[in-house]
Amino acid sequence: MRNRTRVIILLVAVVLLGAVGTGAVLYAADRTARRDQAQPGGPSVASGPVSLQVQSGGRQLLFRNMAWGPHRDEITTVAADHPDGPRTASGVQCLRFHAAAGTGICLQAQHGALEDTYRAVVLDDHLRELRSFPAAGIPTRSRVSPSGHLAAWTVFVSGDSYAGSDFSTRTSIVDVRDWNLRENLEDFAVVLAGRPYQAHDINIWGVTFADDTTFYATLASAGQTHLVRGDLTARTLTALHDNVECPSLSPDGTRVAYKKRVPGLPADAPWRLYVLDLATMTETATAEQRNIDDQALWSGAGTLVYALPGDYGADLWTVPADGSGRAEPVTKAAVAPAYLG
């Protein structure tokens, strides 16, 4: 091949690569711009007052708004019996969120020039910041106790998915009455199979509260996951049942909804939604047949709400907790729900 031909081929390749790169940049810029613009057919979202107090107008559903537009990622509220109705946006942005009894926990990203950092922010009943704590990694789970006195959060210290084994978490609990922080629940004493247990690979995540002393969570070690009951006063974690992830305690404290790894499912989508009776340790599979990578929320005594992937990132769905019925959509473009009232 002549040198002139080689040069022409090289120039054509450079031009083509430049065109592809320019196109990719323009596409990304356009997509970013569209994320800041409300899309036709999307939910109606407008700024307004948002409170964590029970409203006289009825039960409220709060969540992180995922719809494209100027209020994306803000905590919004709708009437619980009209979840597809107009959303009121608070102006407070959270990656993860939960609230109860006038207290909120908001896990936020702080965007830096080179990398993002994260923090856990405790909010008052008007979503004003009371205190914040540095978070060691990517936010993944959050919960507030029924009394509003305790707030918990979990972050990925390394890795960004529960599907594999190459990740590490850190879970913290703070008492908002005196700001006593249990920074890392891995410091608690573990009882597994009736005996004290110690290991270098313990991970804990997905706190759900029974009261201001007792909570439940997932403990992972040696390739296994366990439901543990935690005692804040005694600083103990006692294993109760195997193959439980991201537990969520029912309002009456008798059952736990959770993700269960089911043999035979794909490694990157291994979970189905189950409910465990704490008195009998009987498991019940829900009617939801899709992969669930979320900490489900009880919307009442017999119904669960959870997020599934959607067009704008995530949608909320619901299914009966007793294995009956079928999964039904709640609302689009929403994640991290909390019910008030």
Side-chain angles (χ1 to χ4, degrees), residues 250-321:
S250 63
D252 63 4
T254 64
R255 291 167 293 167
V256 165
Y258 62 101
K259 297 165 21 182
K260 178 180 178 178
R261 291 180 184 261
V262 177
L265 294 180
D268 61 347
W271 299 291
R272 292 293 182 267
L273 185 60
Y274 276 69
V275 173
L276 177 70
D277 186 303
L278 291 173
T280 64
M281 293 297 164
T282 301
E283 298 179 327
T284 300
T286 69
E288 175 57 81
Q289 296 299 304
R290 290 166 291 185
N291 183 64
I292 300 296
D293 187 8
D294 194 20
Q295 186 173 18
L297 179 75
W298 292 79
S299 62
T303 311
L304 302 170
V305 173
Y306 48 92
L308 285 170
D311 292 340
Y312 299 100
D315 301 330
L316 292 179
W317 288 75
T318 186
V319 72

Side-chain angles (χ1 to χ4, degrees), residues 109-178:
Q110 296 179 295
H111 302 294
L114 298 179
E115 63 179 1
D116 292 346
T117 58
Y118 304 94
R119 65 179 191 150
V121 183
V122 178
L123 305 172
D124 71 5
D125 59 353
H126 287 85
L127 275 74
R128 295 171 300 206
E129 180 177 329
L130 292 174
R131 187 166 294 195
S132 67
F133 302 88
I138 301 170
T140 173
R141 301 287 181 249
S142 62
R143 278 293 189 269
V144 176
S145 65
S147 67
H149 294 159
L150 302 173
W153 60 92
T154 298
V155 299
F156 284 118
V157 178
S158 64
D160 58 3
S161 171
Y162 293 107
S165 58
D166 187 20
F167 69 88
S168 177
T169 62
R170 181 168 299 168
T171 296
S172 306
I173 295 177
V174 66
D175 190 324
V176 305
R177 295 167 295 184
D178 58 9

Side-chain angles (χ1 to χ4, degrees), residues 3 12 15 22 30 39 54 94 133 155 212 296 333 341:
N3 288 339
V12 170
V15 170
T22 300
D30 178 67
Q39 300 299 302
V54 176
C94 305
F133 302 88
V155 299
D212 290 344

Side-chain angles (χ1 to χ4, degrees), residues 9-71:
I9 293 173
L10 178 61
L11 290 174
V12 170
V14 169
V15 170
L16 288 175
L17 288 173
V20 170
T22 300
V25 170
L26 292 175
Y27 174 79
D30 178 67
R31 183 174 176 84
T32 299
R34 285 191 292 118
R35 285 167 62 96
D36 294 331
Q37 300 175 1
Q39 300 299 302
S44 172
V45 189
S47 297
V50 175
S51 172
L52 300 184
Q53 293 290 352
V54 176
Q55 302 298 301
S56 59
R59 197 170 185 231
Q60 297 291 303
L61 172 61
L62 287 82
F63 50 79
R64 172 188 170 194
N65 172 54
M66 300 293 287
W68 287 0
H71 301 293

